[in-house]
Short mmCIF file of all heavy atoms in Angstrom, two decimals:
data_model
loop_
_atom_site.label_atom_id
_atom_site.label_comp_id
_atom_site.label_asym_id
_atom_site.label_seq_id
_atom_site.Cartn_x
_atom_site.Cartn_y
_atom_site.Cartn_z
N LEU A 72 165.37 162.80 90.38
CA LEU A 72 165.32 161.41 89.91
C LEU A 72 166.18 160.51 90.78
O LEU A 72 165.75 159.42 91.17
CB LEU A 72 165.78 161.34 88.45
CG LEU A 72 165.89 159.95 87.84
CD1 LEU A 72 164.55 159.22 87.87
CD2 LEU A 72 166.44 160.05 86.42
N ASP A 73 167.37 160.96 91.12
CA ASP A 73 168.25 160.18 91.99
C ASP A 73 167.62 159.97 93.37
O ASP A 73 167.69 158.87 93.93
CB ASP A 73 169.61 160.85 92.15
CG ASP A 73 170.47 160.76 90.90
OD1 ASP A 73 170.18 159.91 90.02
OD2 ASP A 73 171.44 161.53 90.80
N ALA A 74 166.99 161.00 93.90
CA ALA A 74 166.32 160.88 95.21
C ALA A 74 165.17 159.88 95.12
O ALA A 74 164.97 159.07 96.04
CB ALA A 74 165.81 162.25 95.67
N HIS A 75 164.43 159.90 94.03
CA HIS A 75 163.34 158.95 93.82
C HIS A 75 163.87 157.51 93.85
O HIS A 75 163.31 156.65 94.53
CB HIS A 75 162.66 159.22 92.47
CG HIS A 75 161.87 158.09 91.93
ND1 HIS A 75 160.70 157.65 92.50
CD2 HIS A 75 162.11 157.28 90.86
CE1 HIS A 75 160.24 156.62 91.80
NE2 HIS A 75 161.07 156.38 90.81
N ALA A 76 164.95 157.28 93.14
CA ALA A 76 165.52 155.93 93.06
C ALA A 76 165.99 155.43 94.42
O ALA A 76 166.04 154.22 94.65
CB ALA A 76 166.66 155.91 92.06
N ALA A 77 166.31 156.34 95.33
CA ALA A 77 166.84 155.97 96.64
C ALA A 77 165.78 155.87 97.73
O ALA A 77 166.10 155.57 98.88
CB ALA A 77 167.91 156.98 97.06
N THR A 78 164.52 156.09 97.40
CA THR A 78 163.47 156.06 98.43
C THR A 78 163.23 154.65 98.95
O THR A 78 163.45 153.66 98.24
CB THR A 78 162.13 156.62 97.89
OG1 THR A 78 161.71 155.80 96.79
CG2 THR A 78 162.25 158.08 97.50
N ASP A 79 162.75 154.57 100.16
CA ASP A 79 162.42 153.28 100.77
C ASP A 79 161.32 152.56 99.99
O ASP A 79 161.38 151.35 99.81
CB ASP A 79 162.00 153.44 102.23
CG ASP A 79 163.16 153.77 103.14
OD1 ASP A 79 164.32 153.52 102.76
OD2 ASP A 79 162.91 154.29 104.24
N HIS A 80 160.32 153.33 99.53
CA HIS A 80 159.20 152.66 98.83
C HIS A 80 159.65 152.08 97.49
O HIS A 80 159.16 151.03 97.09
CB HIS A 80 157.98 153.58 98.68
CG HIS A 80 158.24 154.88 98.02
ND1 HIS A 80 158.59 156.00 98.73
CD2 HIS A 80 158.20 155.25 96.73
CE1 HIS A 80 158.75 157.00 97.89
NE2 HIS A 80 158.53 156.57 96.67
N MET A 81 160.59 152.71 96.81
CA MET A 81 161.07 152.14 95.55
C MET A 81 162.01 150.95 95.81
O MET A 81 162.00 149.98 95.06
CB MET A 81 161.75 153.21 94.69
CG MET A 81 160.77 154.24 94.15
SD MET A 81 159.25 153.58 93.37
CE MET A 81 159.92 152.71 91.95
N ARG A 82 162.79 151.02 96.87
CA ARG A 82 163.62 149.88 97.23
C ARG A 82 162.74 148.68 97.54
O ARG A 82 162.96 147.57 97.05
CB ARG A 82 164.51 150.21 98.44
CG ARG A 82 165.39 149.04 98.89
CD ARG A 82 166.02 149.29 100.26
NE ARG A 82 165.10 149.77 101.27
CZ ARG A 82 164.19 149.00 101.91
NH1 ARG A 82 164.09 147.73 101.63
NH2 ARG A 82 163.40 149.52 102.83
N LYS A 83 161.69 148.90 98.34
CA LYS A 83 160.77 147.83 98.70
C LYS A 83 160.05 147.30 97.46
O LYS A 83 159.91 146.08 97.29
CB LYS A 83 159.75 148.34 99.72
CG LYS A 83 158.80 147.28 100.21
CD LYS A 83 157.84 147.85 101.25
CE LYS A 83 156.84 146.79 101.67
NZ LYS A 83 155.80 147.33 102.56
N TYR A 84 159.60 148.19 96.59
CA TYR A 84 158.94 147.78 95.35
C TYR A 84 159.87 146.87 94.54
O TYR A 84 159.46 145.83 94.02
CB TYR A 84 158.53 149.01 94.54
CG TYR A 84 158.08 148.67 93.14
CD1 TYR A 84 156.81 148.17 92.91
CD2 TYR A 84 158.94 148.84 92.06
CE1 TYR A 84 156.40 147.84 91.62
CE2 TYR A 84 158.54 148.51 90.78
CZ TYR A 84 157.28 148.02 90.56
OH TYR A 84 156.89 147.68 89.29
N GLY A 85 161.12 147.26 94.42
CA GLY A 85 162.10 146.45 93.68
C GLY A 85 162.28 145.07 94.27
O GLY A 85 162.35 144.07 93.55
N GLU A 86 162.35 145.01 95.59
CA GLU A 86 162.50 143.72 96.27
C GLU A 86 161.28 142.84 96.06
O GLU A 86 161.40 141.63 95.87
CB GLU A 86 162.73 143.94 97.77
CG GLU A 86 164.07 144.55 98.10
CD GLU A 86 164.20 144.95 99.58
OE1 GLU A 86 163.22 144.77 100.33
OE2 GLU A 86 165.27 145.47 99.95
N GLU A 87 160.10 143.43 96.09
CA GLU A 87 158.86 142.66 96.00
C GLU A 87 158.51 142.24 94.57
O GLU A 87 157.70 141.33 94.39
CB GLU A 87 157.69 143.46 96.58
CG GLU A 87 157.80 143.66 98.08
CD GLU A 87 156.69 144.53 98.64
OE1 GLU A 87 155.91 145.12 97.85
OE2 GLU A 87 156.60 144.63 99.87
N THR A 88 159.07 142.89 93.58
CA THR A 88 158.68 142.59 92.20
C THR A 88 159.79 141.97 91.37
O THR A 88 159.54 141.59 90.22
CB THR A 88 158.19 143.87 91.48
OG1 THR A 88 159.26 144.83 91.48
CG2 THR A 88 156.95 144.44 92.15
N GLY A 89 160.96 141.84 91.91
CA GLY A 89 162.09 141.32 91.14
C GLY A 89 161.82 140.00 90.46
O GLY A 89 162.23 139.78 89.32
N GLU A 90 161.08 139.13 91.11
CA GLU A 90 160.81 137.80 90.54
C GLU A 90 159.78 137.85 89.42
O GLU A 90 159.59 136.88 88.70
CB GLU A 90 160.36 136.82 91.63
CG GLU A 90 158.90 136.95 92.06
CD GLU A 90 158.63 138.09 93.05
OE1 GLU A 90 159.57 138.76 93.50
OE2 GLU A 90 157.44 138.28 93.38
N LEU A 91 159.10 138.99 89.24
CA LEU A 91 158.08 139.13 88.19
C LEU A 91 158.64 139.72 86.90
O LEU A 91 158.00 139.65 85.86
CB LEU A 91 156.94 140.04 88.68
CG LEU A 91 156.18 139.58 89.92
CD1 LEU A 91 155.17 140.65 90.33
CD2 LEU A 91 155.49 138.26 89.66
N ILE A 92 159.83 140.32 86.97
CA ILE A 92 160.37 141.08 85.85
C ILE A 92 161.34 140.24 85.02
O ILE A 92 162.29 139.67 85.54
CB ILE A 92 161.07 142.36 86.36
CG1 ILE A 92 160.05 143.26 87.04
CG2 ILE A 92 161.79 143.08 85.22
CD1 ILE A 92 160.65 144.48 87.71
N ALA A 93 161.08 140.21 83.70
CA ALA A 93 161.98 139.54 82.77
C ALA A 93 163.08 140.49 82.32
O ALA A 93 164.24 140.08 82.18
CB ALA A 93 161.21 139.01 81.56
N SER A 94 162.72 141.76 82.07
CA SER A 94 163.73 142.74 81.68
C SER A 94 163.24 144.15 81.99
O SER A 94 162.03 144.39 82.07
CB SER A 94 164.09 142.63 80.20
OG SER A 94 163.01 143.04 79.39
N ARG A 95 164.20 145.04 82.14
CA ARG A 95 163.90 146.45 82.41
C ARG A 95 164.97 147.29 81.72
O ARG A 95 166.17 147.05 81.91
CB ARG A 95 163.92 146.70 83.91
CG ARG A 95 163.60 148.12 84.31
CD ARG A 95 163.61 148.26 85.79
NE ARG A 95 165.00 148.33 86.23
CZ ARG A 95 165.40 148.93 87.34
NH1 ARG A 95 164.53 149.47 88.16
NH2 ARG A 95 166.67 148.97 87.65
N VAL A 96 164.52 148.23 80.91
CA VAL A 96 165.44 149.13 80.20
C VAL A 96 165.01 150.55 80.53
O VAL A 96 163.84 150.90 80.38
CB VAL A 96 165.39 148.91 78.67
CG1 VAL A 96 166.30 149.89 77.95
CG2 VAL A 96 165.77 147.47 78.33
N LEU A 97 165.95 151.37 81.00
CA LEU A 97 165.67 152.77 81.33
C LEU A 97 166.39 153.68 80.36
O LEU A 97 167.57 153.51 80.08
CB LEU A 97 166.15 153.08 82.75
CG LEU A 97 165.55 152.28 83.89
CD1 LEU A 97 166.24 152.65 85.19
CD2 LEU A 97 164.07 152.53 83.98
N HIS A 98 165.66 154.68 79.87
CA HIS A 98 166.23 155.73 79.04
C HIS A 98 166.04 157.05 79.80
O HIS A 98 164.90 157.46 80.03
CB HIS A 98 165.53 155.81 77.68
CG HIS A 98 165.62 154.55 76.88
ND1 HIS A 98 166.72 154.24 76.12
CD2 HIS A 98 164.76 153.52 76.75
CE1 HIS A 98 166.53 153.08 75.54
NE2 HIS A 98 165.35 152.61 75.91
#
Side-chain angles (χ1 to χ4, degrees):
L72 175 60
D73 287 343
H75 160 70
T78 60
D79 287 340
H80 55 270
M81 291 312 295
R82 179 193 47 76
K83 183 179 177 186
Y84 169 78
E86 290 171 359
E87 292 177 352
T88 60
E90 79 280 356
L91 300 175
I92 297 174
S94 69
R95 181 179 78 154
V96 177
L97 300 175
H98 300 277

